[in-house]
Amino acid sequence: MQIAVFTVDAFTNQPFSGNPAAVCLLENDLDEALHQKIATEMNLSETAFIRKLNPGDDFTKSSCFGLRWFTPANEVPLCGHATLAAAAVLFHIKKNTNSVLTFVTLSGELKARQVEDHIVLDLPLYLTYPQVLQEVEELIKAAIGDMIVQDLRYSPDTKKLLVRLSDAYERSVLEELQVSAQRFLSAEKTGKVKGLILTLKGNSSGKHKGHDFYSRYFAPWYGILEDPVTGSAHAVLSSYWSEQLGKKEMLAFQCSRRGGELKISLRNDGRVDIAGQIAIVLKGNLIF
Protein backbone atom coordinates (compact mmCIF):
# COMPACT_ATOMS: atom_id res chain seq x y z
CA MET A 1 0.00 0.00 0.00
CA GLN A 2 1.19 3.53 -0.75
CA ILE A 3 0.05 6.80 0.82
CA ALA A 4 1.24 10.22 -0.39
CA VAL A 5 2.89 12.08 2.49
CA PHE A 6 4.23 15.63 2.80
CA THR A 7 6.05 17.61 5.45
CA VAL A 8 4.97 21.23 5.71
CA ASP A 9 6.49 23.90 7.96
CA ALA A 10 3.58 26.06 9.14
CA PHE A 11 3.46 29.68 10.35
CA THR A 12 6.67 30.53 8.51
CA ASN A 13 7.84 31.11 4.93
CA GLN A 14 11.31 29.75 5.71
CA PRO A 15 12.06 26.00 5.47
CA PHE A 16 13.14 24.41 8.76
CA SER A 17 11.45 27.00 10.96
CA GLY A 18 7.82 27.34 12.11
CA ASN A 19 6.01 24.16 13.10
CA PRO A 20 6.42 21.01 10.99
CA ALA A 21 3.45 18.73 10.34
CA ALA A 22 3.16 15.59 8.25
CA VAL A 23 0.15 15.44 5.93
CA CYS A 24 -1.19 12.16 4.52
CA LEU A 25 -3.67 12.10 1.62
CA LEU A 26 -5.93 9.07 1.97
CA GLU A 27 -7.30 7.84 -1.37
CA ASN A 28 -9.08 5.01 0.50
CA ASP A 29 -10.18 4.26 4.04
CA LEU A 30 -7.26 3.50 6.34
CA ASP A 31 -7.33 0.81 9.01
CA GLU A 32 -7.98 2.62 12.31
CA ALA A 33 -4.81 1.40 14.07
CA LEU A 34 -2.61 2.56 11.17
CA HIS A 35 -3.33 6.25 11.83
CA GLN A 36 -1.48 6.08 15.14
CA LYS A 37 1.30 3.86 13.78
CA ILE A 38 2.00 6.31 10.96
CA ALA A 39 1.94 9.32 13.31
CA THR A 40 4.38 7.55 15.64
CA GLU A 41 6.62 6.76 12.65
CA MET A 42 6.55 10.36 11.37
CA ASN A 43 7.39 11.51 14.93
CA LEU A 44 6.33 15.14 14.42
CA SER A 45 4.10 16.96 16.89
CA GLU A 46 1.21 16.24 14.50
CA THR A 47 0.41 14.08 11.53
CA ALA A 48 -2.74 15.13 9.66
CA PHE A 49 -4.88 12.68 7.67
CA ILE A 50 -7.07 14.14 4.92
CA ARG A 51 -9.83 11.78 3.80
CA LYS A 52 -12.54 11.93 1.16
CA LEU A 53 -16.06 12.13 2.57
CA ASN A 54 -17.67 10.53 -0.51
CA PRO A 55 -16.29 7.95 -2.96
CA GLY A 56 -16.50 10.36 -5.91
CA ASP A 57 -14.56 13.15 -4.16
CA ASP A 58 -11.39 14.54 -5.68
CA PHE A 59 -8.48 16.28 -3.92
CA THR A 60 -8.27 18.80 -6.78
CA LYS A 61 -11.94 19.67 -7.18
CA SER A 62 -13.85 18.89 -3.95
CA SER A 63 -14.21 21.58 -1.30
CA CYS A 64 -15.00 19.48 1.79
CA PHE A 65 -12.84 16.78 3.40
CA GLY A 66 -12.48 14.87 6.64
CA LEU A 67 -9.44 15.75 8.76
CA ARG A 68 -7.90 14.05 11.81
CA TRP A 69 -4.75 14.85 13.77
CA PHE A 70 -2.47 12.49 15.67
CA THR A 71 0.56 13.16 17.84
CA PRO A 72 3.14 10.36 18.22
CA ALA A 73 1.12 9.30 21.30
CA ASN A 74 -2.59 9.88 20.58
CA GLU A 75 -5.34 11.58 18.59
CA VAL A 76 -6.06 15.24 19.41
CA PRO A 77 -9.30 17.24 19.02
CA LEU A 78 -7.77 20.33 17.40
CA CYS A 79 -4.51 21.22 15.70
CA GLY A 80 -4.11 24.58 13.99
CA HIS A 81 -0.69 24.20 12.38
CA ALA A 82 -1.51 20.78 10.89
CA THR A 83 -4.76 22.23 9.49
CA LEU A 84 -2.72 25.00 7.87
CA ALA A 85 -0.38 22.30 6.51
CA ALA A 86 -3.31 20.22 5.20
CA ALA A 87 -4.77 23.24 3.39
CA ALA A 88 -1.32 24.01 1.93
CA VAL A 89 -1.05 20.51 0.44
CA LEU A 90 -4.49 20.83 -1.19
CA PHE A 91 -3.98 24.41 -2.43
CA HIS A 92 -0.33 24.24 -3.48
CA ILE A 93 0.33 20.60 -4.42
CA LYS A 94 -3.10 19.38 -5.53
CA LYS A 95 -3.88 22.85 -6.98
CA ASN A 96 -7.36 22.68 -5.45
CA THR A 97 -9.57 25.12 -7.35
CA ASN A 98 -11.88 26.16 -4.48
CA SER A 99 -11.50 29.51 -2.74
CA VAL A 100 -12.50 27.99 0.62
CA LEU A 101 -11.85 24.47 1.92
CA THR A 102 -13.96 22.96 4.71
CA PHE A 103 -12.58 20.29 7.04
CA VAL A 104 -14.91 18.10 9.09
CA THR A 105 -13.08 17.46 12.39
CA LEU A 106 -13.53 16.56 16.05
CA SER A 107 -13.76 20.33 16.69
CA GLY A 108 -16.56 20.81 14.16
CA GLU A 109 -16.18 22.32 10.71
CA LEU A 110 -12.99 24.31 10.14
CA LYS A 111 -12.50 26.49 7.07
CA ALA A 112 -9.28 27.51 5.33
CA ARG A 113 -8.86 30.08 2.58
CA GLN A 114 -5.98 31.68 0.69
CA VAL A 115 -5.36 35.40 1.13
CA GLU A 116 -2.31 36.52 -0.87
CA ASP A 117 0.69 34.63 0.55
CA HIS A 118 -1.10 33.51 3.73
CA ILE A 119 -3.56 30.73 4.48
CA VAL A 120 -6.31 31.83 6.86
CA LEU A 121 -7.88 29.35 9.28
CA ASP A 122 -11.33 29.96 10.74
CA LEU A 123 -11.05 28.47 14.25
CA PRO A 124 -13.20 28.38 17.40
CA LEU A 125 -12.38 31.10 19.93
CA TYR A 126 -11.99 29.79 23.49
CA LEU A 127 -12.68 31.93 26.55
CA THR A 128 -10.50 31.84 29.64
CA TYR A 129 -11.52 32.19 33.27
CA PRO A 130 -9.56 33.25 36.37
CA GLN A 131 -7.68 30.33 37.93
CA VAL A 132 -6.86 29.99 41.63
CA LEU A 133 -3.09 29.85 42.07
CA GLN A 134 -3.13 27.31 44.92
CA GLU A 135 -4.59 24.58 42.70
CA VAL A 136 -1.79 24.77 40.14
CA GLU A 137 1.05 26.26 42.19
CA GLU A 138 3.28 23.21 41.92
CA LEU A 139 2.87 23.07 38.13
CA ILE A 140 3.70 26.77 37.73
CA LYS A 141 6.75 26.42 39.96
CA ALA A 142 7.91 23.49 37.81
CA ALA A 143 7.50 25.67 34.71
CA ILE A 144 8.90 29.07 35.68
CA GLY A 145 10.43 28.76 39.16
CA ASP A 146 10.12 32.05 41.04
CA MET A 147 9.27 34.29 38.08
CA ILE A 148 6.49 36.81 38.66
CA VAL A 149 3.05 35.85 37.37
CA GLN A 150 0.84 38.77 36.32
CA ASP A 151 -2.32 36.79 35.48
CA LEU A 152 -3.53 33.20 35.57
CA ARG A 153 -6.37 31.84 33.44
CA TYR A 154 -7.87 28.48 32.55
CA SER A 155 -9.70 27.42 29.38
CA PRO A 156 -12.12 24.59 30.30
CA ASP A 157 -12.95 23.82 26.66
CA THR A 158 -9.33 23.10 25.76
CA LYS A 159 -7.94 22.19 29.21
CA LYS A 160 -5.18 24.76 28.70
CA LEU A 161 -3.68 26.78 31.54
CA LEU A 162 -2.58 30.30 30.55
CA VAL A 163 0.20 31.84 32.64
CA ARG A 164 0.93 35.49 31.90
CA LEU A 165 4.38 36.61 33.01
CA SER A 166 4.93 40.07 34.43
CA ASP A 167 5.04 42.94 31.91
CA ALA A 168 8.43 43.80 33.44
CA TYR A 169 10.03 40.90 31.55
CA GLU A 170 11.49 41.22 28.05
CA ARG A 171 10.87 38.77 25.21
CA SER A 172 14.42 37.43 25.67
CA VAL A 173 13.51 36.21 29.17
CA LEU A 174 10.71 34.06 27.75
CA GLU A 175 12.94 32.81 24.93
CA GLU A 176 15.82 31.86 27.21
CA LEU A 177 13.70 30.24 29.91
CA GLN A 178 14.81 26.62 30.38
CA VAL A 179 11.68 24.51 30.82
CA SER A 180 11.69 20.85 31.82
CA ALA A 181 8.18 19.97 30.63
CA GLN A 182 8.56 16.30 31.61
CA ARG A 183 8.30 17.46 35.25
CA PHE A 184 4.84 18.89 34.57
CA LEU A 185 3.32 15.40 34.56
CA SER A 186 4.00 14.79 38.25
CA ALA A 187 3.48 18.44 39.26
CA GLU A 188 -0.04 18.67 37.78
CA LYS A 189 -2.28 17.19 40.46
CA THR A 190 -5.72 18.45 39.39
CA GLY A 191 -6.06 16.27 36.27
CA LYS A 192 -7.61 19.23 34.45
CA VAL A 193 -4.56 20.67 32.64
CA LYS A 194 -3.54 19.19 29.27
CA GLY A 195 -1.54 22.14 27.93
CA LEU A 196 0.45 24.99 29.49
CA ILE A 197 0.76 28.39 27.78
CA LEU A 198 3.35 30.90 28.93
CA THR A 199 2.62 34.34 27.54
CA LEU A 200 4.02 37.86 27.70
CA LYS A 201 2.75 41.22 26.51
CA GLY A 202 4.47 42.54 23.38
CA ASN A 203 6.92 45.41 23.45
CA SER A 204 5.95 48.45 21.40
CA SER A 205 9.57 49.62 21.23
CA GLY A 206 12.95 47.97 20.67
CA LYS A 207 14.09 45.59 17.94
CA HIS A 208 11.06 43.27 18.22
CA LYS A 209 8.35 45.93 18.03
CA GLY A 210 5.18 45.08 16.19
CA HIS A 211 4.14 41.91 18.02
CA ASP A 212 1.21 42.31 20.39
CA PHE A 213 2.12 39.29 22.50
CA TYR A 214 4.54 36.39 22.78
CA SER A 215 4.05 32.83 23.93
CA ARG A 216 5.53 29.37 24.41
CA TYR A 217 3.45 26.20 24.64
CA PHE A 218 4.02 22.86 26.37
CA ALA A 219 1.88 19.70 26.17
CA PRO A 220 3.73 16.72 27.70
CA TRP A 221 0.30 15.21 28.47
CA TYR A 222 0.05 14.64 24.70
CA GLY A 223 3.67 13.58 24.36
CA ILE A 224 4.83 17.04 23.14
CA LEU A 225 7.35 18.67 25.48
CA GLU A 226 7.29 21.97 23.57
CA ASP A 227 5.32 22.74 20.44
CA PRO A 228 7.05 25.23 18.10
CA VAL A 229 4.00 27.23 16.87
CA THR A 230 0.51 26.37 18.06
CA GLY A 231 -2.71 27.40 16.33
CA SER A 232 -4.97 25.87 19.00
CA ALA A 233 -3.16 27.72 21.82
CA HIS A 234 -3.77 30.95 19.90
CA ALA A 235 -7.49 30.15 19.79
CA VAL A 236 -7.19 30.66 23.58
CA LEU A 237 -4.58 33.45 23.56
CA SER A 238 -6.60 35.48 21.03
CA SER A 239 -9.60 35.87 23.33
CA TYR A 240 -7.39 36.71 26.33
CA TRP A 241 -5.18 39.31 24.65
CA SER A 242 -8.05 40.88 22.70
CA GLU A 243 -9.76 41.55 26.03
CA GLN A 244 -6.52 42.81 27.66
CA LEU A 245 -5.38 45.03 24.78
CA GLY A 246 -8.79 46.10 23.45
CA LYS A 247 -7.81 44.94 19.94
CA LYS A 248 -9.41 42.60 17.39
CA GLU A 249 -6.44 42.55 14.99
CA MET A 250 -3.17 41.32 16.47
CA LEU A 251 0.21 39.99 15.43
CA ALA A 252 1.62 37.23 17.62
CA PHE A 253 4.98 35.50 17.81
CA GLN A 254 5.61 32.10 19.40
CA CYS A 255 9.10 32.16 20.91
CA SER A 256 10.15 28.53 20.51
CA ARG A 257 13.58 27.66 19.12
CA ARG A 258 12.08 27.42 15.61
CA GLY A 259 9.71 30.34 16.11
CA GLY A 260 6.69 31.41 14.10
CA GLU A 261 4.35 34.32 13.44
CA LEU A 262 0.54 34.35 13.48
CA LYS A 263 -1.82 37.05 12.20
CA ILE A 264 -4.97 37.14 14.31
CA SER A 265 -8.36 38.64 13.54
CA LEU A 266 -11.34 38.18 15.87
CA ARG A 267 -14.55 37.74 13.91
CA ASN A 268 -18.02 39.02 14.78
CA ASP A 269 -19.43 35.46 14.96
CA GLY A 270 -17.43 34.48 18.03
CA ARG A 271 -14.67 32.73 16.11
CA VAL A 272 -11.14 33.73 15.16
CA ASP A 273 -9.19 33.92 11.89
CA ILE A 274 -5.58 32.86 12.33
CA ALA A 275 -3.34 33.34 9.30
CA GLY A 276 0.11 32.01 8.60
CA GLN A 277 2.54 31.26 5.81
CA ILE A 278 3.92 27.83 4.91
CA ALA A 279 6.96 26.11 3.43
CA ILE A 280 6.64 22.62 1.90
CA VAL A 281 9.88 20.74 2.64
CA LEU A 282 9.22 17.09 1.77
CA LYS A 283 7.14 15.08 -0.71
CA GLY A 284 7.07 11.30 -0.72
CA ASN A 285 5.14 8.07 -0.25
CA LEU A 286 4.64 5.81 2.73
CA ILE A 287 4.99 2.20 1.56
CA PHE A 288 3.73 -0.71 3.64
Side-chain angles (χ1 to χ4, degrees), residues 72-288:
N74 46 17
E75 186 170 11
V76 292
L78 178 64
C79 179
H81 86 277
T83 306
L84 198 72
V89 167
L90 293 170
F91 282 137
H92 296 301
I93 292 173
K94 287 296 175 181
K95 308 293 183 199
N96 191 290
T97 50
N98 293 283
S99 56
V100 179
L101 296 172
T102 302
F103 295 112
V104 177
T105 81
L106 288 176
S107 290
E109 288 193 356
L110 305 181
K111 295 188 187 314
R113 67 184 192 275
Q114 288 194 93
V115 178
E116 291 160 357
D117 58 349
H118 285 67
I119 291 174
V120 182
L121 301 179
D122 163 6
L123 296 176
L125 185 67
Y126 295 112
L127 298 178
T128 61
Y129 302 91
Q131 166 65 44
V132 180
L133 176 63
Q134 284 73 16
E135 279 186 37
V136 291
E137 201 159 13
E138 197 177 328
L139 174 59
I140 290 173
K141 199 155 188 59
I144 59 169
D146 296 323
M147 289 178 75
I148 301 162
V149 174
Q150 181 144 339
D151 200 359
L152 192 58
R153 298 291 187 101
Y154 178 69
S155 157
D157 295 313
T158 64
K159 298 185 161 57
K160 292 185 193 338
L161 182 70
L162 183 154
V163 182
R164 176 180 174 183
L165 301 175
S166 165
D167 290 352
Y169 294 121
E170 293 285 330
R171 165 176 161 171
S172 58
V173 174
L174 180 60
E175 286 177 328
E176 290 159 17
L177 183 66
Q178 300 288 316
V179 178
S180 172
Q182 196 63 44
R183 289 171 51 208
F184 295 2
L185 299 174
S186 55
E188 207 295 286
K189 301 288 199 287
T190 66
K192 70 180 197 179
V193 178
K194 297 290 181 227
L196 178 75
I197 302 168
L198 299 180
T199 189
L200 184 64
K201 188 179 172 192
N203 191 342
S204 53
S205 59
K207 66 175 180 174
H208 293 308
K209 65 173 178 283
H211 291 118
D212 292 289
F213 63 88
Y214 304 114
S215 66
R216 287 176 68 183
Y217 181 66
F218 308 90
W221 300 273
Y222 284 120
I224 300 156
L225 294 181
E226 180 167 8
D227 196 37
V229 199
T230 317
S232 61
H234 282 80
V236 175
L237 283 159
S238 298
S239 68
Y240 175 77
W241 282 111
S242 173
E243 179 190 299
Q244 296 293 311
L245 302 173
K247 294 175 86 166
K248 296 215 169 206
E249 308 280 330
M250 294 173 286
L251 191 63
F253 190 83
Q254 194 157 328
C255 297
S256 63
R257 200 165 47 81
R258 292 173 66 106
E261 189 172 77
L262 310 92
K263 283 171 74 172
I264 291 162
S265 180
L266 273 76
R267 298 156 57 103
N268 293 328
D269 59 0
R271 294 174 67 83
V272 61
D273 280 343
I274 296 181
Q277 295 177 292
I278 59 95
I280 294 165
V281 295
L282 184 140
K283 302 178 185 178
N285 288 293
L286 287 162
I287 302 164
F288 53 93

